[in-house]
Amino acid sequence: MPWFAPAVDENHPALGPPQTLLEQIKRRAEELEADGLDDAEAHNTAWDDVDFEQRYREHLNTDDEAQTAFKALHTRLLDGEDLVLVCYENTETKRCHRTILREELADAL
């Protein structure tokens, strides 16, 4: 997404959720919003309904490109570099894959 380029130094698309997972959560959230849930509640419910967390963790652990990008960030952290993961979602109200990525990186240290 080019709109955030001025706000970040790097972007690692391989560490994003697979497109099929993004499409499934978006469709499910839209269905839930049509049923009357607000944006954040629909997002979080859809997250559970499509088993987002487990599937994203599986992606990080099995996709070759994700593994390469993950290992590169992990190495930088081991070398003492500070990294900040940026998200445009309000993570106090909506779940975000970057939170899972942060947990995975912390667990690997």
Side-chain angles (χ1 to χ4, degrees):
M1 294 183 189
W3 60 266
F4 68 76
V8 297
D9 294 327
E10 300 173 14
N11 181 27
H12 298 275
L15 293 172
Q19 190 64 35
T20 55
L21 182 54
L22 289 174
E23 290 168 1
Q24 288 174 351
I25 193 171
K26 180 181 177 187
R27 263 194 319 273
R28 183 62 183 133
E30 288 171 352
E31 292 169 357
L32 292 164
E33 285 183 47
D35 288 342
L37 295 183
D38 69 32
D39 178 57
E41 189 176 6
H43 172 86
N44 292 335
T45 300
W47 179 286
D48 290 333
D49 288 354
V50 302
D51 199 20
F52 189 96
E53 182 172 349
Q54 177 62 33
R55 291 172 65 193
Y56 178 65
R57 286 183 193 276
E58 183 178 310
H59 168 72
L60 288 177
N61 291 307
T62 61
D63 182 84
D64 290 339
E65 289 182 28
Q67 280 286 289
T68 299
F70 183 90
K71 289 175 184 173
L73 291 183
H74 180 251
T75 298
R76 291 167 63 183
L77 288 168
L78 288 174
D79 289 343
E81 187 173 346
D82 291 326
L83 302 175
V84 176
L85 302 177
V86 178
C87 183
Y88 66 87
E89 296 285 2
N90 178 349
T91 57
E92 292 186 23
T93 60
K94 284 186 171 181
R95 295 176 179 169
C96 174
H97 75 279
R98 288 165 195 84
T99 304
I100 296 168
L101 177 59
R102 181 184 66 223
E103 290 171 3
E104 290 286 325
L105 286 165
D107 288 348
L109 292 178

